[in-house]
Amino acid sequence: MIKIIGVKEKCIEQIESLEDLKPEKYNIVWIDCYDPRDEELYKISKFLGISISDLQAGLDDQEIPRIEEEENYYLIIYRTPLLEEYSTSILGIFIKDNIVLTIHPEKIKSIERIYNIVITRNPNVFKSIGFFIYVILNEVTRSYSRILVSLEDELEELEDKIISGFDQKIIEKILHLRKTLVYFHKALIANRDVLVLLKRKYLPIIGKEDKENFEDLYYDTLQLIDMSATYREVLTSMMDISLSLENIKMNQIVKILTMVTTIFAIPMWITGIFGMNFEYMPLISSPYGFWLSFTFMLISIIFFIYVFKKMRWI
Amino acid sequence: MIKIIGVKEKCIEQIESLEDLKPEKYNIVWIDCYDPRDEELYKISKFLGISISDLQAGLDDQEIPRIEEEENYYLIIYRTPLLEEYSTSILGIFIKDNIVLTIHPEKIKSIERIYNIVITRNPNVFKSIGFFIYVILNEVTRSYSRILVSLEDELEELEDKIISGFDQKIIEKILHLRKTLVYFHKALIANRDVLVLLKRKYLPIIGKEDKENFEDLYYDTLQLIDMSATYREVLTSMMDISLSLENIKMNQIVKILTMVTTIFAIPMWITGIFGMNFEYMPLISSPYGFWLSFTFMLISIIFFIYVFKKMRWI
Amino acid sequence: MIKIIGVKEKCIEQIESLEDLKPEKYNIVWIDCYDPRDEELYKISKFLGISISDLQAGLDDQEIPRIEEEENYYLIIYRTPLLEEYSTSILGIFIKDNIVLTIHPEKIKSIERIYNIVITRNPNVFKSIGFFIYVILNEVTRSYSRILVSLEDELEELEDKIISGFDQKIIEKILHLRKTLVYFHKALIANRDVLVLLKRKYLPIIGKEDKENFEDLYYDTLQLIDMSATYREVLTSMMDISLSLENIKMNQIVKILTMVTTIFAIPMWITGIFGMNFEYMPLISSPYGFWLSFTFMLISIIFFIYVFKKMRWI
Amino acid sequence: MIKIIGVKEKCIEQIESLEDLKPEKYNIVWIDCYDPRDEELYKISKFLGISISDLQAGLDDQEIPRIEEEENYYLIIYRTPLLEEYSTSILGIFIKDNIVLTIHPEKIKSIERIYNIVITRNPNVFKSIGFFIYVILNEVTRSYSRILVSLEDELEELEDKIISGFDQKIIEKILHLRKTLVYFHKALIANRDVLVLLKRKYLPIIGKEDKENFEDLYYDTLQLIDMSATYREVLTSMMDISLSLENIKMNQIVKILTMVTTIFAIPMWITGIFGMNFEYMPLISSPYGFWLSFTFMLISIIFFIYVFKKMRWI
Amino acid sequence: MIKIIGVKEKCIEQIESLEDLKPEKYNIVWIDCYDPRDEELYKISKFLGISISDLQAGLDDQEIPRIEEEENYYLIIYRTPLLEEYSTSILGIFIKDNIVLTIHPEKIKSIERIYNIVITRNPNVFKSIGFFIYVILNEVTRSYSRILVSLEDELEELEDKIISGFDQKIIEKILHLRKTLVYFHKALIANRDVLVLLKRKYLPIIGKEDKENFEDLYYDTLQLIDMSATYREVLTSMMDISLSLENIKMNQIVKILTMVTTIFAIPMWITGIFGMNFEYMPLISSPYGFWLSFTFMLISIIFFIYVFKKMRWI
């Protein structure tokens, strides 16, 4: 799907198709292209004069974030989070003259949010190309932040659950969170490398005042990397702790089993002995025989309960 | 809440509200602002000419410690420990002309302590703005130190407990300590980066003699980082050890279970055999039958006890 | 086995044997030598004037990737994946004048693929020696990529299996994947070092336009290293998770055992007591004796089931 | 406690108290101060003109090793091992003019040894201030070496014990060794940083020939760091191994339990069946009934023993 | 033991004792000294003019590999593997004028091999002092290589064993291999540092053509470090895997135990019930009583077998 916006002196126009677009009429043109069909890709390629294989860098989920200065255009590859799936996807930003092309294989909420802001409200985000790129990257970075903050709540919750009780669902949850943090960490570190470049050696399209914005963004990303590292450590602690807790519980269960088996071993043996059918057995015809054996069994039971209490098993 | 102190030639004045404050009358003005309401923040923003969104850097718990030189003010972000909760919070220090603004979302004991020292005793801490900032950061660093030293005692205690016995409470304690150390470590490392800057490239507001103070503070912080790293390693050792101890205990419990089951297996079988109701059974009518079977059972029991003793299970 | 191709002005000739080869007749000559017999190696050595012991650098699986500039030739050692075995092998590329010799102990699919492309289709890959080397290294790098992508699918599958159930086969699979990733990681990191050199200090045989190709290849390799690192982390998570899951299952099994033993302990004791053969036993001749004892047994069973339900074991 | 030694042209004098000391009379004066009372500290402070708070750097166990050049004196902070406790403590060396002050909170054997050497034998250690400092640091470093070598023997012993049998005492031993190595490693790394400085930028008090001594000491310390790192890795291996061994033992114990339970399950059931009191039971009045059932039980027992043998449990 | 060889214009002479040796008569003199007695050490010290304490650097197993340029001699300390014990020892090479002294506390196979080559075959290894040192270090490095390659086979074997079955012997083997790899890794990394120096800043005794040899040796050592690191990772994987496998087996054993206990619980209870001696019991005098109870027991057994099959325990 392709959406096109042209900005002409603070006035925003939505353009239906690439065929209608005359870039020279506008200050800035934004083309957003999400999961394009082959023909759409072909059209864009033809319109911008960028080869399809180059464009596909923005659609290949395996690409790593970076900046490329080509002869006639700039390319920024950035990693964005996917809100619903706690995973990450790729976003390619091509800048050629006054045209900014954002291309991505997945629907990205941050892009949608900017699109809505642009249409419904002020066209301030189009102050300059540099600023517009900052707005995009900023929005993406803020969506990491949102997810990580919500992760913190989940972590707190998990911790309570681990101590109160531990089951397979919690483990699946931990597995899930850990994978998310692994992917986020990688994405953020790669994004940071992009921002380092943007804040240092400014591309010609990035003005001095934008550079400061990118510096802020850089620090925000450092924060997020820090957060994700801390969360992973906390998660590892949790796994260790939960393993220990499982072991403690196991010990207690096996203690119960051992106690029950031990306490009843001698009484059962006694009932076995007097259950034998020998003709000549001691006590068997004594009127006190039953009570004697019963008392002995009780003593044995009480003795072992006492022993286990002494050993602090109960 | 906002507290204001003005220092005029070694004489300290408490000022009720921002409206009454005339900074030009004093050598140094200290405004401490804790968990401000929106209107308070607005007032401060207006008074200092720093935008609310900038001020909020000192209130956002996710900010990372750093120094910022803005056009008309300086900002130091620092992480402080929260004594009661073994966690950390943020402290923002804004310096504009002769005004020092400390702003923080949580009540910070170190700040309170300085406030009390200032009011009740000498105004020496206001020698210069650089020195006053040193006093604040020093007080914060010392509160880390206090907590870490108390942690060491807890660690020693834990160790004794782990060897003597191990239960869920100890594990929760370890989980807690570990999380504290993770957060402290991160905070201290970030603070160190601030101090590196303060001791090297001195801000115009920091005199040469202050620089040396910050160097001492820097070494103190290195010490604390070292301590927290060592404690974490010790804690990891403890977890490993406790897991092994749990395993050893488990082994002993299961050994008891196995011994009881094994020792009584044959005697129970014998009682079972002679408890059957066949009309023609060997020994059944012999006067020695009972004692023979009983002796055999005893032999079996003693034999297995002997075997287990040989195997060093008992 | 030796295969020889000579390129003369866009025209490709297959040459049967080294004896027939006159390198001065061609623009570029490619000699591919796979698992050579001693006599073949001797022939090549004589033909190229490179000593056999030097040639063997391309056949020794323990060699590490590197570039060597010798007096009269260049050597590139590179690690290639072996598709079927998920392992890696060595590829030596010797460049002397207009001759490119690829030598390797194992059959390498990437080389075969290039050979087939060359013969059946256009001779574009022979634009220049630098470009031809790029084509080889690129093809090798892409085969890593293919395997890693297929690994990702296997990882997803494994994860589902781990949560639904866990057995020895899965563990063997994990062991296998982990070993593969260890070897891939090492190989890719070593290859990266080769590419760093090729993209920076260009060998005389590498033109400026090739340098950019190697830069792309370098970034692709970084991607692959990144992927393999991430996969290893995910794999480690899986192992941890699976250990925890095993523990949880164990707990549940032992709970069942403990419950069964505990629930039937008292009923069995009761049947034992009333199975004794004392002449004088209480209740024994009462008409309600049986039902009384049976009721008591049932109560005991129900009581313990209730207790275990309370403890959330069932 | 304060001990004072003055050296005058190869002649050594013990001086009773600071009051009697005239430093200008001697070539070198050594003041050793161990766990000083407040008044002693005060005296030293007054005598040397170094503030008490500065002197306390040599008494605070939390200080990290470093060198400080103050206006009128030099300070070296160094970590020494405590022989009996396998822990480390602090040693402060203050150098002012021709006076060397060693100050420490704990009794340090290395210092005592030097003291005894000095008094009973030759005064060679006082060749120069630089050499004397070298002698002190060398003696401290050698005491690390002694302890680490004795640790190696303990490790060898532990290893044998782990394989032959494993109990709580061994675990406590491992915990103890590991903690020692953690603290030693930290101390040695910090000391190394001191030696790097002493061997590079020589303090004015350190002559050229001393510099070489410090270089040797530096390499010795590297060796010790290496040793302690290796020992820690070996210790970690041991923990892992011991955990595995515990698991294997557990398996064997539970195997025995399972075999006993399984082997006697059917025989016990059979005795149970024929122990029932039904009036009409098959075989019950047959003269072969007992032997038939007995044979069947034996077959069942032998069958399961055979099965377990097949499964390699026995 | 001391062995001496003198080389005079391609002609090799074995010299009996140091007293007979006139170094000026030869191009190169090689003195090999293994585990020397005190008097031998004394002789060598006197002959070479190197102090005994300096010579002992080549006999102290704790020394770390390094190069030392002394006033009148060079010293190279290198780590060699001990073939039979899978451990490492020290080798000191002293070079003074045209004399090369190799001194070592343990018998080193590589040295013996060179000695035999020298005596029986050509004196080529004595081309120059630099080349002779290269030959020694090369031979040592190749003996690491031999051991590591044999380790790989052992690893492959271990892996098969781990999956097919796991016992204490395997664990001891792993412990052993891991320790070997730890010590090898340390030794190789230290040797690498020596080779870096030899290939960069060439000692005056090392000619330009030797430098290239050392560069090759350097790459070989890198290879070996790489191999040992990879093997250690594989070994760690194995330990993790084996732990998981043990857990899985344990689960299966406990499952059997639980199944046997559960399946026979109700049948045993029933036999217990009808084994009681109450005068009035239901079914007891019914001709179908026995078969009814027996059928019920069978149903119970079959039911639980079915349940466990459903749970996939069987």
Side-chain angles (χ1 to χ4, degrees), chain A residues 62 168 171-172 178-179 186 232 243 246 250 253 267 271 274-277 284-285 287 290 293 297, chain C residues 159 163 223 227 230 233 237 240 244-245 248 250-251 258 261 268-269 272 276-282:
Chain A
Q62 303 298 343
Q168 191 158 335
I171 284 193
E172 287 175 33
R178 214 158 144 175
K179 260 181 56 190
K186 299 266 165 200
R232 270 165 79 188
L243 216 88
E246 275 306 286
M250 185 67 136
I253 296 168
T271 67
F274 291 105
M276 294 193 294
N277 295 322
I284 212 75
S285 45
F290 175 81
S293 71
M297 288 190 263
Chain C
E159 204 170 293
I163 286 173
Q223 261 183 55
M227 274 172 78
T230 309
E233 266 197 63
S237 280
D240 286 3
S244 270
L245 283 175
I248 287 181
M250 185 67 135
N251 264 12
T258 305
T261 306
M268 287 310 285
W269 188 40
M276 294 194 293
N277 293 322
F278 291 108
E279 271 171 35
Y280 307 99
M281 294 221 301

Side-chain angles (χ1 to χ4, degrees), chain A residues 142-177:
Chain A
R142 279 176 61 195
S143 63
Y144 279 109
S145 179
R146 259 181 233 114
I147 298 180
L148 281 176
V149 165
S150 79
L151 274 188
E152 188 162 26
D153 296 342
E154 291 191 50
L155 277 178
E156 297 275 326
E157 219 177 288
L158 260 183
E159 204 171 293
D160 293 346
K161 272 189 196 155
I162 277 175
I163 286 173
S164 73
F166 191 63
D167 63 13
Q168 191 158 335
K169 267 187 207 162
I170 294 179
I171 284 193
E172 287 175 33
K173 188 81 203 161
I174 289 177
L175 176 63
H176 178 72
L177 286 178

